[in-house]
Amino acid sequence: MRYATCAPAQAEDPDHRAGMQADCIPAELVARLVELGHAGEVELQAGRGEWFCALHLARDHAGRGRQEEALAVLAPFVATGRWVAVETAAGLLEGWGRAEEAIALTRAHASGGGVAVAFAARLLARHGRGDEAFDLLAPHLADRTAAEALVDVAGTVGRDEEAAVLLTARVETPGRRDCGCPRMEPGNAVELLAAIRERQGRVDDAVALLHAGDVTPDLLADLLARHDRVGELRAYAASEVMGHATDRLAALLEERGDVDGAVDVYRRWLEGPGCDVRLSLAELLLRHGRDDEALEVLRALADGPGGTEDVVVYAVCGYHTDRGRPDEALAHLDRLKTRAGGEDWQYFGLRLHLMAACGLLDEAVDLARTDPPEGEPWFAVMTVAAILADAGRTEEALAVLERDAPDLVRDRAGLLIELGRVKEAVALLQAPVPQPTWQEPVDPVDEPPF
């Protein structure tokens, strides 16, 4: 039960389906069809424009050494110019030692910049044409993906300083304005410039850039850790309020075998005003078999003002469930429910799963039907279907969805596949999704309608 609604596929837009897995037979259902022996249906649908079916078939041909058959499957999608198909075909060609064909294919689609030009440039660099790759990327420096590729390529052809000059100009002269404020393009210029300085051995310059730049704290923390600048990392952890530097310092100490030192880093942090790192502390203790200490930390967290936050609830329940004690996790939910004067709908599904784990599956189904979470009945329906399917009661799960949540097309299709009703599943996925009918607003009138 890991699906969501989807609709019919056409070969014209595999990019959209690759990203969203919508309007198609999604990749996970294609894989399940193959697992259950329905490869023939996958091949049939590949010929009808289903991208993920075609992708599976092409990879299958490639794995069997059938190069031309694989390319033929992809050809209709490549012909549309959609990048995901071009990238897939180029990757196969390169893997077969046909790099020049891969380069020619990607170069033809790289003019728009972004992911396409970055891929084409890295491909060129891998095959001894790094200077050409650098020159291809330079006009697209405003794009963060192309800029990352430029920095990578520069390191392979000895053009680090040239890349640094280009990025420095970007850092010192922000580009377009966003809400009236200048915005750097690319947005990752500072971190990329710092990466070059680090690669050149100018670590102090890299540290200064990250300190002064508007970058996420983990970048500076990682840099300090990589160069064993523990004192600076400790000082940074003491002032960085989000806890990223604290996590990195603790991880560094743990990597060195100093678990007590890592624990102490977290405990000292808890004495300050920054964010709560007790979950990280509990995870550290659990990794080293210190379960009792971890439970003590989790209990203190659960009893505090943030104890009803979802990450805390799931951590506490997960602790008990992972140790074969779902009844204790369920008891924790009961305490939270009493404390809050009711149960948040997002924990209702967790309750049902815990009840099922305790052998109370039928009681969980009855609870969901008689007392669903207020305002979120669909959530109860999904959860009931999931626990029924997990218990092997697939027909019942499908009946629940068909009766109470027919819009969950992918969920229903997944269950149909499990039941061997493949044609029905495919037809359901490919059925047109009804579009809402727009009605023109009616001008209000003063006279009553009579």
Side-chain angles (χ1 to χ4, degrees), residues 8-73:
Q10 300 295 330
E12 285 73 12
D13 195 6
D15 279 339
H16 172 71
R17 295 194 302 281
M20 303 299 294
Q21 298 208 20
D23 300 334
C24 65
I25 302 175
E28 60 189 40
L29 292 188
V30 171
R32 191 60 180 148
L33 284 168
V34 174
E35 288 172 9
L36 295 175
H38 302 292
E41 184 67 28
V42 171
E43 183 173 1
L44 174 65
Q45 297 303 325
R48 293 179 175 177
E50 286 285 353
W51 165 245
F52 288 107
C53 292
L55 182 60
H56 171 84
L57 185 59
R59 287 173 174 168
D60 183 65
H61 283 317
R64 298 171 188 270
R66 303 170 183 165
Q67 296 184 13
E68 299 311 316
E69 288 93 331
L71 294 175
V73 170

Side-chain angles (χ1 to χ4, degrees), residues 251-437:
L252 179 62
L253 295 173
E254 184 184 8
E255 289 163 12
R256 294 175 168 182
D258 185 6
V259 178
D260 288 335
V263 170
D264 185 61
V265 165
Y266 281 128
R267 293 201 184 279
R268 286 179 180 275
W269 176 263
L270 293 175
E271 298 171 1
C275 67
D276 202 326
V277 294
R278 278 179 287 188
L279 276 180
S280 298
L281 172 58
E283 290 167 0
L284 170 64
L285 292 167
L286 289 172
R287 283 196 297 274
H288 295 276
R290 295 163 64 167
D291 289 20
D292 291 341
E293 292 177 75
L295 182 57
E296 180 183 345
V297 171
L298 288 173
R299 282 175 173 164
L301 188 56
D303 292 339
T308 57
E309 294 180 6
D310 56 352
V311 66
V312 177
V313 174
Y314 280 99
V316 175
C317 290
Y319 174 91
H320 293 300
T321 305
D322 291 345
R323 285 152 185 76
R325 305 198 298 266
D327 54 324
E328 293 186 40
L330 195 57
H332 179 67
L333 285 187
D334 290 337
R335 289 191 294 273
L336 281 178
K337 185 176 180 179
T338 301
R339 171 179 164 186
E343 188 159 66
D344 192 314
W345 70 269
Q346 63 182 325
Y347 304 137
F348 189 76
L350 176 59
R351 174 178 292 280
L352 298 184
H353 281 289
L354 289 173
M355 291 176 69
C358 292
L360 303 171
L361 176 59
D362 290 326
E363 290 86 343
V365 172
D366 289 342
L367 174 64
R369 286 173 174 164
T370 58
D371 189 23
E374 184 177 352
E376 303 290 349
W378 60 272
F379 188 74
V381 173
M382 288 179 61
T383 306
V384 166
I387 62 176
L388 286 170
D390 290 344
R393 294 162 61 173
T394 312
E395 290 279 7
E396 292 178 67
L398 180 60
V400 166
L401 290 181
E402 289 179 335
R403 182 184 66 245
D404 299 326
D407 290 341
L408 298 179
V409 172
R410 277 171 69 170
D411 299 76
R412 291 168 55 202
L415 293 175
L416 286 168
I417 289 171
E418 297 299 324
L419 293 168
R421 295 159 62 179
V422 173
K423 293 294 184 183
E424 291 179 65
V426 171
L428 179 62
L429 290 166
Q430 294 179 336
V433 176
Q435 298 297 316
T437 302

